[in-house]
């Protein structure tokens, strides 16, 4: 691969990109093992696809926001490096597919020219921070949460405490008690609150902690009913520090924070979080909302080109289902329903060019894979619709039962078991053709994932499906696990859907028909779907759908997945690049040295807390290296400290005394310059001892 020069103004970003290029080159030369390279690559938003030799690149859009120029830039990048398509995700990101690994540094450099990053969009990091798409214009919000979400994004990006955790970490900001960002299913989720204290209105947040979906969903705990606004970010940092130190690292299936809380209990977890307060770099983070940049609004008196509306009846439905009055008087928001979250780059540019004069320069990707245009004058709504009609995105029914959320599934994902996109398209067609009035139903949500991991959020759907497989007569066929009864209750409360039955994938349409017809016939007047589900009970729905699980009458087509031509076979894609297996111990020691270099640099720049944390990580990586060299398996960071005490300190193999107490000084001191320098010096001494031990072991081997 050829080197390139980046002309970016931000030296930190430029160094990041150059470092990625360097690590790719070392990986190609077999000097970085596959596992370590994968971790580094994922933390830069680069994810191996199901298809060999190409990557999915996830573009990180905090709270889903992009300016029109950023949207154009992303579209141009997709044309040059990918396949002229933008995939909108449930975490308000944009993904592009089929990207060459060797071209990713150059691609990242071009994205950053318009302030767009891929840093920490994947991997064991703080993932994209999401927020209600209505935030800032929501008529029901106590205050705009976007400045706080933005501050959290900037605070944790490249923050040493969250660069190499056991698993990913997700944060969400809801705009009101409606909880449209689903605080209850996040590692940390918050809801804005206002309290009166001594006659003064004080801003704060209800804070939820320890939620998550995946194969084993868990509802979050209430950490605070009300936490003052300036204490929120320090609290999240403390949570991250505990998760980093005590979280599982060997078994990925048990490595999310919800499992740590289940293991040690919420009381012990809260105690550990409080222990960290002394060490955080700042005890309060005040977000100055007064200087928050308002979006650039369309200029008044815009001259519109001639236009026509081809389907006036559909336009009226679209106004009802896809638009709403903002809290700002005289303006409307307009949602765009995007089937499967896929927008061609040509359609994106058409929308940008045609709508620039009538929408705010602030487009939001929504958590159900759509778009939101803001600050539209009521007289401009017909024109906006006509533009969407021209480019094929004027369907009514946004966020209704007809607006199905689906992950990419077996199209591109390594983990996909059966098709999620194919069945989603079929189900949407059934609703629009057989149940057209349901485009107005925003109570029932259908969500589909290609596997149990819940990227399509099936675990909180009224009607959910996840990809699976079944066997019949020695052959394997694609299947769908049917889940019912999930959803939002509001103010931090939610429902996890029940697994009801598994059926062949080709019978998914009949599952939906059976459920909707039964609800139509037996549901009580104005009874919501989940209330109906609760009244009838899980066994009732199992009996209702059981005939569709019968495998005695299968047809040949049942063995072919949706959107496929050949017989189904369970397979995991091989999209990860191969690497030469080399000395992992040497690699860990190399990383420990890198962390020391970062520590020295941070201390020299006055970032004492960051320097201390880098030194802490160097301690851990060095100890892990020596333990692995002795055949001792390593799990949590806390476990590494205990094991090192046992196998090295108590065994007299290393002169270092009180290793664990030495390392844990990190949360016993304020992050002052004097302590930072002392801690760094101690970590450097330990690193040198570790290197000497390793070299002596190699000589004696």
């Amino acid at each position: 691969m050829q080197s390139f020069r980046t002309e970016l103004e931000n030296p930190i970003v430029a160094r990041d990109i150059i470092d990625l290029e360097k690590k790719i080159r070392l990986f190609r030369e077999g000097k970085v093992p596959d596992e370590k390279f994968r971790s580094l690559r994922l933390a830069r938003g680069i994810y191996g696809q199901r298809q060999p030799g190409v990557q999915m690149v996830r573009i990180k859009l905090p709270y889903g926001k992009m300016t029109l120029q950023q949207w154009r830039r992303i579209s141009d990048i997709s044309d040059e490096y990918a396949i002229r398509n933008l995939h909108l995700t449930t975490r308000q990101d944009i993904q592009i597919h089929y990207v060459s690994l060797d071209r990713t540094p150059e691609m990242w450099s071009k994205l950053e020219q318009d302030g767009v990053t891929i840093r920490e969009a994947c991997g064991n990091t703080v993932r994209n921070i999401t927020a209600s798409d209505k935030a800032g214009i929501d008529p029901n919000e106590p205050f705009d949460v976007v400045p706080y979400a933005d501050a959290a994004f900037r605070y944790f990006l490249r923050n040493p405490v969250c660069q190499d955790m056991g698993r990913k970490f997700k944060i969400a900001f809801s705009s009101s008690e409606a909880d449209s960002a689903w605080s209850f299913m996040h590692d940390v989720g918050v809801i804005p609150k206002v309290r009166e204290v001594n006659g003064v209105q004080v801003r704060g947040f209800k804070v939820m902690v320890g939620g998550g979906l995946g194969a084993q969903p868990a509802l979050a705990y209430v950490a605070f009913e009300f936490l003052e606004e300036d204490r929120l970010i320090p609290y999240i940092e403390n949570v991250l520090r505990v998760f980093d130190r005590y979280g599982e690292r060997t078994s990925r299936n048990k490595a999310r924070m919800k499992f740590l809380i289940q293991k040690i209990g919420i009381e012990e977890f809260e105690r550990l979080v409080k222990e960290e307060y002394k060490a955080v770099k700042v005890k309060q983070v005040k977000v100055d909302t007064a200087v928050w940049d308002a979006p650039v609004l369309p200029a008044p008196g815009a001259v519109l080109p001639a236009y026509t509306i081809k389907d006036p009846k559909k336009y009226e439905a679209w106004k009802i289902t896809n638009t709403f009055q903002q809290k700002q008087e005289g303006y409307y928001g307009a949602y765009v329903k995007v089937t499967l979250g896929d927008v061609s780059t040509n359609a994106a540019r058409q929308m940008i060019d045609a709508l620039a004069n009538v929408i705010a320069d602030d487009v939001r990707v929504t958590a159900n894979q759509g778009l939101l245009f803001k600050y539209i004058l009521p007289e401009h709504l017909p024109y906006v619709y006509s533009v969407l009609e021209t480019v094929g995105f004027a369907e009514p029914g946004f966020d209704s039962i007809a607006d199905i959320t689906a992950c990419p599934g077996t199209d591109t994902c390594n983990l996909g078991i059966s098709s999620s996109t194919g069945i989603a398209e079929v189900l949407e067609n059934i609703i629009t053709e057989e149940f057209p009035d349901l485009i107005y139903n925003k109570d029932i949500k259908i969500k589909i994932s290609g596997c149990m991991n819940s990227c399509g959020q099936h675990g909180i759907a009224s009607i959910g499906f996840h990809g699976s497989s079944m066997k019949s007569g020695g052959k394997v066929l694609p299947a769908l696990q049917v889940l019912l009864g999930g959803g939002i209750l509001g103010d931090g409360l939610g429902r996890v859907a029940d697994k009801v039955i598994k059926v062949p994938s080709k019978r998914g349409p009949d599952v939906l028909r059976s459920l909707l017809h039964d609800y139509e016939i037996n549901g009580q007047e104005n009874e919501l779907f989940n209330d109906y589900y609760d009244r009838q009970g899980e066994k009732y729905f199992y009996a209702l759908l059981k005939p569709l699980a019968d495998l005695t009458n299968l047809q040949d087509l049942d063995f072919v997945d949706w959107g496929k031509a050949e017989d189904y076979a369970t397979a995991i894609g091989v999209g990860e690049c191969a690497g030469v297996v080399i000395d992992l111990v040497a690699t860990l020691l190399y990383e420990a040295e890198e962390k020391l270099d970062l520590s020295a640099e941070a201390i020299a720049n006055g970032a004492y807390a960051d320097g201390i944390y880098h030194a802490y990580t160097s301690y851990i990586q060095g100890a892990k290296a020596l333990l692995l060299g002795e055949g001792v398996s390593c799990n949590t960071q806390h476990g590494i400290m205990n094991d090192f005490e046992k196998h090295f300190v108590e065994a007299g193999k290393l002169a270092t005394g009180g290793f664990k107490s030495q390392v844990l000084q990190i949360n016993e001191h304020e992050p002052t310059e004097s302590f930072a320098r002392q801690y760094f010096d101690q970590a450097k001494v330990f690193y040198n001892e570790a290197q000497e031990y390793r070299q002596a072991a190699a000589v004696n081997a």
Side-chain angles (χ1 to χ4, degrees):
M1 58 183 290
Q2 293 183 341
S3 298
F4 73 99
R5 294 184 65 184
T6 176
E7 304 299 330
L8 295 174
E9 294 181 3
N10 188 328
I12 296 174
V13 174
R15 186 171 68 177
D16 234 4
I17 296 171
I18 291 169
D19 184 59
L20 173 62
E21 184 197 33
K22 174 186 174 184
K23 293 295 172 55
I24 291 173
R25 187 164 57 251
L26 292 173
F27 170 68
R28 294 295 195 203
E29 295 170 356
K31 297 177 181 177
V32 176
D34 183 64
E35 279 298 317
K36 295 310 297 182
F37 180 70
R38 182 183 295 118
S39 176
L40 179 139
R41 168 170 53 76
L42 288 170
R44 275 83 181 158
I46 305 165
Y47 194 98
Q49 279 188 207
R50 193 178 189 89
Q51 296 76 12
V54 291
Q55 315 293 318
M56 176 272 283
V57 175
R58 183 175 293 147
I59 296 167
K60 195 170 187 177
L61 300 174
Y63 45 95
K65 179 187 175 180
M66 55 184 172
T67 65
L68 295 175
Q69 175 55 33
Q70 287 174 330
W71 191 9
R72 186 185 300 278
R73 168 73 68 175
I74 294 168
S75 300
D76 292 345
I77 289 291
S78 183
D79 285 355
E80 184 176 358
Y81 296 90
I83 56 168
R84 299 178 180 273
N85 184 70
L86 310 178
H87 179 70
L88 314 179
T89 79
T90 55
R91 290 212 65 75
Q92 299 175 283
D93 296 301
I94 289 179
Q95 292 176 178
I96 59 176
H97 294 84
Y98 297 91
V99 179
S100 165
L101 175 63
D102 293 333
R103 300 187 73 195
T104 53
E106 180 183 356
M107 184 208 70
W108 184 5
S109 178
K110 291 183 178 180
L111 282 170
E112 289 279 3
Q113 290 173 16
D114 280 306
V116 178
T117 191
I118 61 176
R119 174 79 194 220
E120 295 158 52
C122 306
N124 302 329
T125 61
V126 172
R127 296 290 185 87
N128 196 33
I129 294 179
T130 59
S132 300
D133 49 62
K134 283 185 180 179
I137 63 173
D138 185 349
N140 298 314
E141 66 185 19
F143 55 86
D144 184 3
V145 299
V146 166
Y148 301 91
D150 188 78
F153 156 68
R154 297 182 189 284
Y155 188 90
F156 292 113
L157 187 69
R158 298 183 177 86
N159 193 312
V161 305
C162 51
Q163 293 307 297
D164 190 24
M165 299 180 292
R167 281 297 302 277
K168 58 193 173 184
F169 192 96
K170 296 181 177 181
I171 302 172
F173 286 73
S174 279
S175 61
S176 72
E177 290 184 1
D179 202 9
S180 56
W182 311 311
S183 67
F184 60 89
M185 53 157 274
H186 283 79
D187 295 290
V188 173
V190 302
I191 301 169
K193 301 282 184 179
V194 174
R195 281 187 178 177
E196 186 172 307
V197 179
N198 298 324
V200 178
Q201 296 292 305
V202 176
R203 289 182 174 186
F205 296 92
K206 182 174 185 176
V207 182
M208 314 296 296
V209 64
L213 291 179
Q216 300 179 57
L219 298 175
Y221 297 88
V222 178
F224 294 93
E225 287 290 348
F226 185 85
L227 180 67
E228 293 83 355
E229 57 176 333
D230 54 358
R231 293 177 57 202
L232 177 64
I233 288 176
Y235 171 73
I236 298 174
E237 179 176 352
N238 291 334
V239 169
L240 284 165
R241 292 166 73 99
V242 170
F243 178 51
D244 192 32
R245 190 167 302 133
Y246 295 90
E248 171 74 30
R249 288 174 182 266
T250 300
S251 172
R252 286 182 59 80
N253 293 331
K254 293 289 186 181
R256 293 295 301 275
M257 196 174 74
K258 61 186 177 183
F259 295 114
L260 172 61
I261 293 176
Q262 289 172 11
K263 179 181 177 181
I264 67 175
I266 187 64
E267 293 81 9
E268 174 65 6
F269 178 80
E270 290 177 338
R271 185 189 70 79
L272 292 172
V273 169
K274 288 176 182 176
E275 276 190 354
E276 298 294 328
Y277 269 96
K278 194 169 189 177
V280 295
K281 66 178 76 175
V282 286
K283 308 303 188 258
Q284 295 176 303
V285 175
K286 179 67 177 175
V287 177
D288 190 353
T289 58
V291 300
W292 182 251
D293 292 333
V296 178
L297 304 187
V303 178
L304 304 181
Y307 66 91
T308 58
I309 291 177
K310 300 170 188 175
D311 191 336
K313 184 177 179 181
K314 186 178 277 189
Y315 168 62
E316 293 303 320
W318 179 84
K319 276 203 303 184
I320 293 171
T321 62
N322 291 41
T323 71
F324 63 94
Q325 290 188 15
Q326 298 182 187
K327 74 177 186 181
Q328 293 83 4
E329 188 175 352
Y331 287 105
Y332 280 75
Y335 284 115
V336 182
K337 181 177 176 289
V338 180
T339 302
L340 301 179
D342 289 326
V343 182
S344 74
T345 56
N346 284 337
R349 275 186 291 268
Q350 284 179 267
M351 285 188 272
I352 293 166
D353 292 339
L355 298 176
N357 291 331
V358 295
I359 65 174
D361 191 21
D362 181 353
V363 176
R364 299 291 168 91
V365 176
T366 68
N368 67 337
Q369 300 175 291
L371 294 167
L372 172 61
F373 300 145
K374 302 159 64 176
Y375 289 92
I376 303 169
L377 295 171
E379 59 267 29
H380 290 163
L381 286 173
Y383 171 70
V384 171
Y385 178 81
S386 74
V387 171
L388 296 176
E389 197 175 42
T390 300
V391 297
F393 287 95
E395 286 300 309
F398 178 87
D399 202 32
S400 72
I401 186 176
D403 192 2
I404 296 176
T405 298
C407 71
T410 50
D411 290 354
T412 56
C413 179
N414 277 321
L415 301 177
I417 298 174
S418 64
S419 173
S420 47
T421 57
I423 183 64
E425 288 188 279
V426 172
L427 296 186
E428 281 201 1
N429 288 336
I430 286 174
I431 293 166
T432 54
E433 293 171 10
E434 301 178 25
F435 303 89
D437 289 344
L438 288 184
I439 65 166
Y440 300 101
N441 182 307
K442 298 201 174 188
D443 165 48
I444 303 174
K445 312 294 184 192
I446 301 178
K447 298 176 183 288
I448 307 173
S449 302
C451 71
M452 64 182 68
N453 286 312
S454 206
C455 292
Q457 302 172 338
H458 62 264
I460 55 168
S462 316
I463 301 173
F465 301 91
H466 80 66
S468 189
S469 62
M470 304 175 83
K471 286 186 178 180
S472 176
K475 294 180 66 178
V476 181
L477 66 152
L480 293 169
Q481 174 69 55
V482 182
L483 301 95
L484 300 173
I488 304 171
L489 299 176
D491 199 25
L493 298 177
R495 297 169 51 119
V496 172
D498 295 325
K499 289 185 176 181
V500 176
I501 198 168
K502 187 192 291 187
V503 302
S505 289
K506 285 298 176 70
R507 296 177 185 173
D510 289 329
V511 168
L512 182 61
R513 291 186 181 103
S514 297
L515 291 170
L516 294 182
H517 282 308
D518 192 79
Y519 177 47
E520 187 177 54
I521 294 168
N522 297 316
Q524 297 175 354
E525 187 176 358
N526 298 322
E527 186 175 33
L528 299 178
F529 181 83
N530 279 351
D531 293 335
Y532 173 62
Y533 173 74
D534 290 342
R535 180 167 62 83
Q536 299 285 39
E538 182 182 340
K539 291 182 180 179
Y540 173 89
F541 288 94
Y542 175 82
L544 174 70
L545 300 176
K546 187 176 180 181
L548 298 176
D550 183 6
L551 301 183
T552 61
N553 56 353
L554 292 170
Q555 307 296 314
D556 288 344
L557 283 177
D558 289 316
F559 292 90
V560 181
D561 208 352
W562 292 103
K564 309 297 180 183
E566 68 283 350
D567 279 2
Y568 172 80
T570 52
I572 298 298
V574 291
E576 301 296 346
C577 298
V580 178
V581 177
I582 64 171
D583 187 353
L584 181 57
V585 174
T587 302
L588 287 168
L589 287 171
Y590 170 69
E591 287 186 347
E593 184 179 22
E594 278 192 326
K595 294 297 182 182
L596 280 177
D597 290 342
L598 290 171
S599 177
E601 183 179 338
I603 293 170
N605 292 329
Y608 304 124
D610 289 355
I612 292 166
Y613 211 89
H614 283 309
Y616 163 78
T617 308
S618 178
Y619 265 126
I620 297 296
Q621 295 292 71
K624 181 177 180 180
L626 295 190
L627 285 167
L628 289 177
E630 299 286 310
V632 180
S633 61
C634 300
N635 192 359
T636 67
Q637 291 181 350
H638 194 261
I640 288 170
M641 287 184 265
N642 288 332
D643 286 341
F644 194 84
E645 285 281 340
K646 176 181 177 181
H647 293 279
F648 278 86
V649 178
E650 294 174 10
K653 293 181 179 179
L654 219 62
T656 299
F659 174 78
K660 182 178 178 181
S661 60
Q662 189 178 103
V663 177
L664 286 180
Q665 290 178 89
I666 186 173
N667 60 359
E668 296 171 357
H669 296 266
E670 296 282 347
T672 61
E673 178 180 2
S674 60
F675 175 66
R677 294 189 182 282
Q678 171 196 323
Y679 195 71
F680 169 80
D681 289 342
Q682 292 171 340
K684 189 172 183 179
V685 168
F686 173 73
Y687 169 76
N688 290 334
E689 290 177 349
Q691 279 284 24
E692 290 172 4
Y693 182 88
R694 177 63 181 165
Q695 290 165 7
V699 170
N700 296 326

